[in-house]
Amino acid sequence: MTSAPVLYVNCRAATLADEAAYGLIEDAAILVEQGLIRWVGPRTEAPKAAERDLGGRLVTPALIDCHTHIVHGGHRAAEFELRLKGASYEEVARAGGGIISTVSATRAASVEDLVATALPRLDALIAEGVSTVEVKSGYGLDIDTELRMLRAARALAALRPVTIRTTFLGAHAVPPEYKGRPDAYIDEICLPALRAAYEDGLADAVDGFCEGIAFSTAQIARVFDEAKRLGLPVKLHAEQLSNLGGAALAASYNALSADHLEYLDEPGVQAMAAAGTVAVILPGAFYAIRETQAPPIVLLRQHGVPMAVATDMNPGSSPMTSLLLAMNMACTLFRLTPEEALRGATQHAARALGLTDRGTLAPGLRADLAIWNADHPAELAYRMGFNPLHQRILGASK
């Protein structure tokens, strides 16, 4: 972080700060002081300060991955093979695989183990210009392990220059010892773990999985009621495999986001629009489990629902650590525009995490910048398997 004023010049700035195409400023200048953007605009109008020439490169807000599960034990490569042989994601889960198959490995791991295995995944994201990463619990499904996962996530921020936002996901699946007793699990494990996470300052938000293989809307509502009592914002895995009305439920709690949404209907879209709930689009999971029904992108556009894009990095349904690839897949699989994908991985991703100090290039916000060896912002979603990052610059909170 630079304390003395620095004027970054000779760049194209995709500010995303207005509705114009990318908020693009040709031959831009960006004044940074004490980790904050103080001024951004045409170079000819810039205030005087020590200059740093960016060689005509593209500058965007640093990327934000607003939905990940990077802290976990083990892997599920064998399930990848099973799905290739014809088993569906739901069939694998009902046979004892899926989320549950990661639980034993995670329960056996120490905080140090979880940190060590998460760091390479985090490093892959950082290398692509990511400055902020959301990390969920949800593979412990007991009180001790859920808290251990959150502590590991918090520890990552001390080891790497990155902002980590933690999300309690105790309502992720019913563990084997509570099979057939989801309400007992909510009462005896999920809610006490949530209270403990809150008391220890380990959770920035609360999430759940509303699905036939996970929890009903009534069960999720009980978790959300407790989150509301504690003053924690909520978000929800909703309408991924079927439509149980999870997005509308989330919206009724003014959720930050509803995520996945392949089976979302128009009433759910309307509820999200009215609540200001962000739709988090996760093409990695759609791709990995070979889903055939895409999220209703046209409806989301028509109703003005902001769309974020994230990796959903997890060991089973989206073992992907490239947000740039997620942006490309959102365009190719779901027909987002490259601008929607970039706004989705910056501006709207920040909103999905409840963060108002980043995501665009505007005065007063954090100087979290990504400098790219690229001519045009569409290149970031256009290329596959190629990382054009030149440098990442991190700012400071207001």
Side-chain angles (χ1 to χ4, degrees):
M1 184 182 76
T2 303
S3 56
V6 174
L7 187 68
Y8 294 93
V9 299
N10 190 16
C11 61
R12 305 180 79 201
T15 68
L16 308 177
D18 56 46
E19 296 304 314
Y22 297 100
L24 192 63
I25 302 174
E26 302 283 356
D27 193 17
I30 304 168
L31 180 65
V32 174
E33 183 180 12
Q34 294 184 333
L36 299 178
I37 297 171
R38 298 299 186 186
W39 184 92
V40 58
R43 182 179 181 179
T44 56
E45 302 173 12
K48 297 296 183 181
E51 294 186 359
R52 180 180 167 195
D53 192 313
L54 295 181
R57 294 181 175 88
L58 174 71
V59 181
T60 71
L63 303 186
I64 297 169
D65 197 347
C66 65
H67 183 131
T68 86
H69 306 253
I70 64 172
V71 170
H72 61 264
H75 64 82
R76 280 154 50 191
E79 290 179 24
F80 175 65
E81 289 190 314
L82 284 175
R83 290 201 304 272
L84 291 176
K85 293 175 181 178
S88 71
Y89 180 77
E90 188 166 359
E91 287 168 343
V92 169
R94 291 194 183 280
I99 294 167
I100 298 302
S101 68
T102 301
V103 170
S104 60
T106 305
R107 287 179 175 179
S110 66
V111 170
E112 293 75 18
D113 294 334
L114 293 171
V115 169
T117 55
L119 279 173
R121 303 165 195 144
L122 180 61
D123 287 341
L125 293 172
I126 290 172
E128 288 191 346
V130 173
S131 67
T132 305
V133 179
E134 185 254 20
V135 182
K136 302 179 190 294
S137 68
Y139 291 121
L141 307 183
D142 63 32
I143 296 172
D144 289 343
T145 314
E146 287 295 303
L147 298 180
R148 194 156 65 245
M149 290 185 71
L150 293 169
R151 290 191 181 98
R154 287 279 198 241
L156 294 173
L159 297 173
R160 294 293 186 271
V162 67
T163 298
I164 298 291
R165 299 292 286 183
T166 55
T167 299
F168 174 80
L169 182 55
H172 196 195
V174 180
E177 61 268 27
Y178 280 88
K179 185 176 181 180
R181 299 186 297 132
D183 287 297
Y185 169 76
I186 296 290
D187 285 333
E188 298 170 16
I189 301 297
C190 184
L191 294 179
L194 170 54
R195 296 180 194 113
Y198 170 78
E199 289 168 3
D200 289 352
L202 295 174
D204 298 312
V206 176
D207 199 347
F209 188 16
C210 186
E211 192 54 72
I213 59 173
F215 297 95
S216 69
T217 53
Q219 289 157 350
I220 293 295
R222 295 174 58 208
V223 178
F224 282 4
D225 285 341
E226 184 64 13
K228 182 178 180 180
R229 188 186 72 79
L230 296 172
L232 293 173
V234 301
K235 50 214 296 114
L236 187 65
H237 292 59
E239 274 74 89
Q240 181 183 9
L241 306 172
S242 62
N243 187 347
L244 298 185
L249 172 74
S252 74
Y253 284 84
N254 295 310
L256 292 173
S257 72
D259 305 29
H260 287 290
L261 304 176
E262 280 84 343
Y263 288 81
L264 180 65
D265 58 14
E266 188 161 13
V269 173
Q270 291 171 329
M272 292 177 63
T277 297
V278 176
V280 178
I281 305 302
L282 302 170
F286 176 93
Y287 170 86
I289 67 175
R290 303 177 72 187
E291 181 57 80
T292 56
Q293 180 159 323
I297 301 301
V298 172
L299 282 176
L300 291 166
R301 278 196 198 111
Q302 287 176 349
H303 290 279
V305 177
M307 293 180 285
V309 176
T311 63
D312 189 21
M313 194 287 128
N314 74 75
S317 63
S318 188
M320 177 170 70
T321 54
S322 172
L323 188 51
L324 292 175
L325 180 56
M327 291 165 60
N328 172 271
M329 294 168 82
C331 294
T332 56
L333 297 176
F334 299 153
R335 314 311 293 173
L336 266 69
T337 68
E339 181 173 356
E340 285 174 329
L342 180 56
R343 288 183 184 273
T346 52
Q347 179 184 16
H348 299 320
R351 182 171 171 179
L353 296 179
L355 297 173
T356 60
D357 64 346
R358 68 199 73 192
T360 63
L361 304 182
L365 300 190
R366 284 175 58 105
D368 284 359
L369 313 178
I371 302 169
W372 308 94
N373 293 313
D375 295 322
H376 192 276
E379 290 185 56
L380 302 182
Y382 152 72
R383 300 188 186 278
M384 294 181 286
F386 178 75
N387 180 7
L389 185 71
H390 173 73
Q391 185 182 359
R392 196 186 61 138
I393 295 172
L394 297 187
S397 297
K398 289 187 286 186

